[in-house]
Amino acid sequence: MITRDQLATLLDRLVEKNKVIAPVSDNRGVVRYTAIRTAGDVAWEFDRAKVPPKSHFLPQTEELYCYDTTGGELRIEPVPAAGRAVVFGVHPCDLRAIAALDPVFDGVFKDVYYLDKRERTVVVGLACKQVLPGCFCRSYGIEPTDGEGADLMLTEVGDRYYAEILTPKGEALVREFPELFSDGGVEEGRRGKEALSRELAGQFQREVDLTGVKEKVDTMFEHPYWQEVARKCIGCGICTYLCPTCHCFDIIENHSGHRGSRLRCWDSCMFTDFTLHTSSHNPRSTKKERVRNRFLHKLSYHNERYGLAGCVGCGRCVAECPVNIDITKIIADIKEVD
Amino acid sequence: MGNVENCLLPLPATIQKIIPETSDVNTYRVTFDDPEVMANWRNKPGQLAMISLFGAGEAMFSISSSPTQRDYLEFTIRKAGVVTKALHSLEEGGKIGIRGPYGNGFPFDLMKGRDVLFVGGGIGLAPLRSLIEFMLDDQNRADFGKIEVLYGARSSDDLCFKQAVLEDWPKRPNCEVWTTIDRAEDAWKGHVGFVPAYLEEVGPKGEGKVAVLCGPPIMIKFVLVGLEKLGFKDEMIYSTLELRMKCGVGKCGRCNIGHKFVCLEGPVFDLVQIKELPPEF
Amino acid sequence: MKAVIDNLRREAVRLLANDEVKMVIGYGEGTDASRTTPYFASTPEQSAAFTWGPLCANNLAKHLLDYRYEDTRLAVVVKGCDSRGINRLLQDLQFPRERLVVLGVPCGGQLDRNLIAPEIPPGARLQGIEDTGKVYVLVTDKGRLSFPKDRFLMPKCYLCETNMPVVADFMAGDPVPSPAREGSDRTAEVNEIEALDVAARSSFWDNEFSRCLRCNACRNVCPACSCKECVFEQAVPGWQQSGIIGSKANSLPENMVFHLVRMFHVIGRCVDCGECERVCPVDIPLRLLYRKTLKDAHILYGAGTPGMSTEVQSPLSEFSPEDPEEFM
């Protein structure tokens, strides 16, 4: 168990030697995972961060390497590896989303930028305290108190947090600051967590039945339904940028004279230029193809490649889509259409 | 293999030789600056590499030289976009970056003991050339049967690898080359006509034979019709697909056709696979 | 409200049944009680799903651009503010008048989703909306929810200029009172920012632009952003070749270039429909930026809000000898 004050102390102590990323609210109340200077920066009462914590592992703009071509020579310098970091306050849906991203950046070709941050980052999970109208993680088998994927999982119970050590990294973190954690009231904490879990389970407004959805959607590539969805779509990047499992990126040039660097930037399959060839041929030339690709990626392709769901039911796209394209409705419609 | 530690990091390389192919296509012969990288580089015919022009960007190209050629790599590249324009502005001695190799390459093991027909159009001969040269190489020649090459371009100027196509390959034992251009020219003594029509005219028998194609989509479309008539089986027809790529390693999300990434599972697919892919390329 | 919906559906059925239009673009039921969704009907039967009310914030004029190169005739439902966008598209020759049927709806103000959503009980299903004059009542299966108009409308509605469409071929209802607040000053917020010193103004916008996600929602929802290919998506704009300006990199200079280029681009074309501000996922006060240009265009050229009619040219698309020219 750890009290709020002790947790604040923990974050303050961690800041001394680590980059500490936590939900921070900006001047307009928009919460994102941002590096904090003190525990005072943390938006303790946040519900769901607008931008998911993937922004730590896959920053929106990230320098990959620098180069210098002065005098006709070529020198390429990789950017030094990231240091130790702690990401605090990751909700269960976003924990699951990180797990969904891991195999993308691992595999035969290892993405050292992502994997290095994953290895050197301790993920401190935080159970949800409420279910928002767009949330449907439960349909993906996630409970809003699940710690799966966290190194250390915290659940607010009364005026304290019930802390569960789930990995060696989590254990090392607790061992580093033994004075901040106590064993007293652990049983009460466990029961509190169970009660919270039961309470939250009853709060879901959106539930989808995923049975047979992948199989059905795999037969729907040519279905006119996608045109229907695409008519509404304005082709912005909100759904992809706020999606905790979307990982598409561009690599761009940033140079001045002979020196420069290459940056990796978030990109979106919703954008017209995403798949545009130099020849001007575009395999996904209209919104229909782009919308279809996104939903097939979420509901089939990711699963097919990695055996993991490509959606975690965080509800961000549901909440923020300017034209109310709602993936829970899409899933329901897929089951319905002929 | 190339850069294993950081798959997104290009390795410095130098243009050793620029061989003009057509008015807007050059073959670039390059070597890695680090001799150890050069010595350890291994690729399969038909694989890809990401070429970096510092100040312009990166783009993916097929390696047009044969893997049996261990001293250098060659890329045959048309001046088209930002990166290729920057490349074409370089001279011999110019510096570029290379990362790779990427993609599956041609499954040449499955072609062993068989006759192979290559059908190429324009710059589409580049990836085929890596496999043709590989098969014609002394150490591999006995593994493969007759090699036939049917190659066409819009004009005689647009023919790539003229020396090989017109002089060298036809002289090799058990190797036949048919060349055509779309429209008649005064100085051109060879065949005139489109590739698919010429294919029908030449009429190579398809039985037990492998066909490997690369060219503009419209050519591929009609060549496939011709191959079927000639008795080629879908699983014996291979083609390469081209999609926009940024990472080359299955992460940037651009080159997927259905759940397959062309940079990982492609660019070479057999016709059975191509027919199974959603029509989005 | 119900009468307007019935009229709208009837007209949509008529237009589609008589083959006068191929498609009607309107509003359909949303996936929760706080909103609607753009809805496209191509058959008379589908027209039964059209709805209308104070949850119809989307400016549907933008969707016309998807069909500008086709030869089909379309009908679109517009509120007063949206209708200015129609006039602008017509003026810019982005959509031909003869292919367009404008279905006007009288708007008494749109509810602000951010304000009403927290008040709606979890899982409530919307059954109807009543307008009592001062209050919108959302009738749901979990009770009647009252939203007084003086507290729950979108901020833009309190400054409403035209709550009845300025262009319409068919009106689905009689005029209703404007939600505009009596004596409200449309330039008040702009004046406040202008009153700050340069450093404070700069830091205000630096802060806002640095928060931008570069999702392009503001651009993509904007009826004034009608370019077939946006300058930020051109494969090789000349000025992009020597730097990253205009790339997808998220940095303050990049973001500022994006927003300021867009701002300059929509001067005289922005109809102040406020869609950019509504869709921004990080709540950048974009409308404030564009209202500054509206104010300046008014002071410099006497220009009114663009799109009020198709007669008045946009100030930057015509030259008059009386134009101010202190820069010469």
Side-chain angles (χ1 to χ4, degrees), chain B residues 2-279:
Chain B
N3 40 339
V4 284
E5 279 152 34
N6 181 347
C7 63
L8 295 177
L9 190 69
L11 298 164
T14 301
I15 299 171
Q16 300 299 348
K17 196 168 182 210
I18 300 175
I19 305 146
E21 300 286 352
T22 77
S23 55
D24 60 356
V25 177
N26 288 337
T27 291
Y28 293 86
R29 181 174 294 176
V30 301
T31 55
F32 288 103
D33 291 356
D34 182 345
E36 205 176 322
V37 171
M38 192 70 245
N40 291 329
W41 178 275
R42 298 284 183 280
N43 71 273
K44 290 204 280 177
Q47 275 194 302
L48 311 166
M50 190 66 94
I51 294 196
S52 254
L53 272 293
F54 297 93
E58 290 186 307
M60 191 72 101
F61 299 96
S62 64
I63 301 165
S64 60
S65 54
S66 164
T68 51
Q69 176 50 258
R70 300 291 308 281
D71 299 333
Y72 54 79
L73 298 175
E74 282 179 345
F75 298 91
T76 304
I77 294 170
R78 164 174 290 142
K79 191 158 108 180
V82 182
V83 174
T84 53
K85 277 186 189 131
L87 178 64
H88 275 251
S89 74
L90 289 185
E91 293 170 2
E92 289 174 2
K95 295 287 182 188
I96 62 170
I98 297 176
R99 56 187 179 89
Y102 299 129
N104 55 356
F106 293 108
F108 56 83
D109 278 336
L110 301 177
M111 304 176 189
K112 282 184 177 166
R114 296 187 184 273
D115 296 344
V116 185
L117 167 70
F118 291 89
V119 184
I123 198 168
L125 191 60
L128 304 186
R129 181 214 188 204
S130 70
L131 183 58
I132 295 169
E133 296 278 12
F134 174 83
M135 289 179 168
L136 290 175
D137 191 274
D138 289 343
Q139 52 182 301
N140 301 321
R141 190 65 194 90
D143 291 340
F144 304 94
K146 186 177 182 193
I147 289 173
E148 297 168 320
V149 181
L150 196 156
Y151 178 49
R154 278 171 301 176
S155 69
S156 60
D157 176 63
D158 290 304
L159 292 168
C160 294
F161 314 111
K162 290 182 191 71
Q163 175 69 28
V165 171
L166 303 173
E167 307 287 336
D168 300 348
W169 293 346
K171 290 182 191 142
R172 305 294 294 267
N174 207 18
C175 178
E176 197 161 356
V177 182
W178 302 286
T179 313
T180 183
I181 60 173
D182 290 355
R183 276 184 210 89
E185 291 170 22
D186 289 344
W188 178 255
K189 300 283 177 280
H191 186 272
V192 174
F194 293 121
V195 169
Y198 196 26
L199 175 72
E200 216 153 316
E201 206 174 300
V202 173
K205 289 273 168 297
E207 215 179 280
K209 203 180 275 179
V210 174
V212 188
L213 333 174
C214 188
I218 190 75
M219 182 205 91
I220 301 273
K221 189 178 163 189
F222 289 105
V223 165
L224 288 176
V225 175
L227 290 177
E228 199 177 349
K229 281 189 203 158
L230 293 166
F232 283 85
K233 291 210 169 66
D234 284 2
E235 60 270 27
M236 302 278 263
I237 300 174
Y238 297 91
S239 187
T240 67
L241 297 179
E242 196 179 349
L243 285 176
R244 188 173 175 84
M245 296 174 188
K246 286 289 184 174
C247 72
V249 289
K251 311 196 192 297
C252 80
R254 222 169 239 80
C255 70
N256 71 303
I257 304 174
H259 67 264
K260 285 195 160 42
F261 281 124
V262 173
C263 67
L264 295 179
E265 283 93 25
V268 179
F269 294 94
D270 67 39
L271 193 54
V272 178
Q273 293 171 314
I274 289 175
K275 284 180 174 175
E276 281 169 1
L277 290 174

Side-chain angles (χ1 to χ4, degrees), chain A residues 91-101 140-142 146 148 245 312:
Chain A
H91 283 331
C93 55
D94 289 337
L95 290 170
R96 186 70 65 91
I98 294 168
L101 287 177
Y140 277 96
I142 303 166
D146 273 355
E148 193 185 325
T245 66
V312 293

Side-chain angles (χ1 to χ4, degrees), chain A residues 9-212:
Chain A
T9 307
L10 175 69
L11 293 176
D12 282 335
R13 300 273 300 275
L14 285 168
V15 166
E16 291 163 14
K17 285 185 196 160
N18 304 268
K19 185 177 179 183
V20 178
I21 313 289
V24 174
S25 176
D26 67 21
N27 60 316
R28 295 199 184 269
V30 173
V31 176
R32 327 175 192 216
Y33 290 86
T34 313
I36 57 166
R37 288 155 304 158
T38 81
D41 295 339
V42 176
W44 293 100
E45 296 306 319
F46 84 110
D47 44 26
R48 170 180 60 212
K50 185 89 58 146
V51 186
K54 73 172 178 186
S55 60
H56 168 63
F57 302 104
L58 181 68
Q60 180 159 14
T61 305
E62 176 176 34
E63 192 165 63
L64 299 176
Y65 49 87
C66 304
Y67 57 79
D68 187 338
T69 55
T70 312
E73 291 304 307
L74 170 61
R75 279 169 302 278
I76 303 172
E77 283 295 323
V79 168
R84 289 202 335 163
V86 176
V87 179
F88 167 76
V90 183
H91 283 331
C93 55
D94 289 337
L95 290 170
R96 186 70 65 91
I98 294 168
L101 287 177
D102 285 345
V104 175
F105 292 97
D106 207 335
V108 180
F109 294 100
K110 300 202 183 313
D111 186 304
V112 294
Y113 302 94
Y114 177 94
L115 294 175
D116 187 66
K117 284 193 268 298
R118 272 296 269 142
E119 195 182 312
R120 294 161 70 91
T121 300
V122 182
V123 177
V124 180
L126 183 63
C128 299
K129 287 195 289 184
Q130 57 171 314
V131 173
L132 299 175
C135 294
F136 61 108
C137 62
R138 211 151 180 269
S139 302
Y140 277 96
I142 303 166
E143 294 292 342
T145 54
D146 273 355
E148 193 185 325
D151 297 305
L152 182 69
M153 185 66 188
L154 303 177
T155 306
E156 201 174 333
V157 177
D159 55 356
R160 294 195 294 171
Y161 292 85
Y162 172 58
E164 292 163 282
I165 298 167
L166 299 172
T167 69
K169 271 201 263 182
E171 184 165 5
L173 182 85
V174 173
R175 284 225 176 130
E176 207 178 329
F177 306 98
E179 70 282 8
L180 297 175
F181 295 86
S182 78
D183 287 334
V186 163
E187 185 50 33
E188 190 191 328
R190 197 183 57 76
R191 280 201 302 273
K193 176 174 175 164
E194 278 172 14
L196 177 66
S197 188
R198 275 194 303 275
E199 186 195 329
L200 294 178
Q203 287 182 11
F204 282 87
Q205 299 173 34
R206 273 183 168 74
E207 265 183 85
V208 291
D209 177 10
L210 290 156
T211 325

Side-chain angles (χ1 to χ4, degrees), chain A residues 26-30 32 50-51 60-61 133 203 205-206 227-228 230-238 241-242 250 252-256 263 265-268 271-274 276 287 317-326 328-329, chain C residues 23 29-32 35-40 42 58 62-63 66-67 113 121-124 204 207-208 210-217 220-221 229 232-233 235 241-244 247-251 278-285:
Chain A
D26 67 21
N27 60 316
R28 295 199 184 269
V30 173
R32 327 175 192 216
K50 185 89 58 146
V51 186
Q60 180 159 14
T61 305
Q203 287 182 11
Q205 299 173 34
R206 273 183 168 74
Q227 181 60 51
E228 212 181 292
R231 285 193 196 285
K232 296 180 188 189
C233 180
I234 57 168
C236 75
I238 291 181
Y241 281 9
L242 301 188
D250 194 357
I252 62 148
E253 202 72 19
N254 170 30
H255 77 116
S256 162
L263 308 175
C265 309
W266 287 358
D267 204 345
S268 169
F271 294 160
T272 49
D273 61 349
F274 186 66
L276 182 66
K287 287 193 288 190
C317 59
V318 174
E320 298 296 329
C321 175
V323 293
N324 191 205
I325 293 177
D326 181 331
T328 62
K329 180 168 191 317
Chain C
M23 188 163 68
E29 194 187 329
T31 63
D32 60 49
R35 59 183 161 180
T36 61
T37 183
Y39 178 73
F40 302 75
S42 311
N58 297 53
K62 177 74 186 196
H63 291 282
D66 288 343
Y67 309 95
R113 185 167 160 247
F204 175 86
N207 176 52
E208 295 298 344
S210 66
R211 299 166 56 252
C212 174
L213 277 178
R214 298 291 297 283
C215 68
N216 290 325
N220 289 17
V221 84
E229 183 183 42
F232 292 102
E233 261 146 29
Q241 286 185 35
S242 57
I244 56 163
S247 78
K248 292 183 176 103
N250 189 311
S251 64
R278 177 182 71 88
V279 302
C280 179
V282 292
D283 303 336
I284 297 173

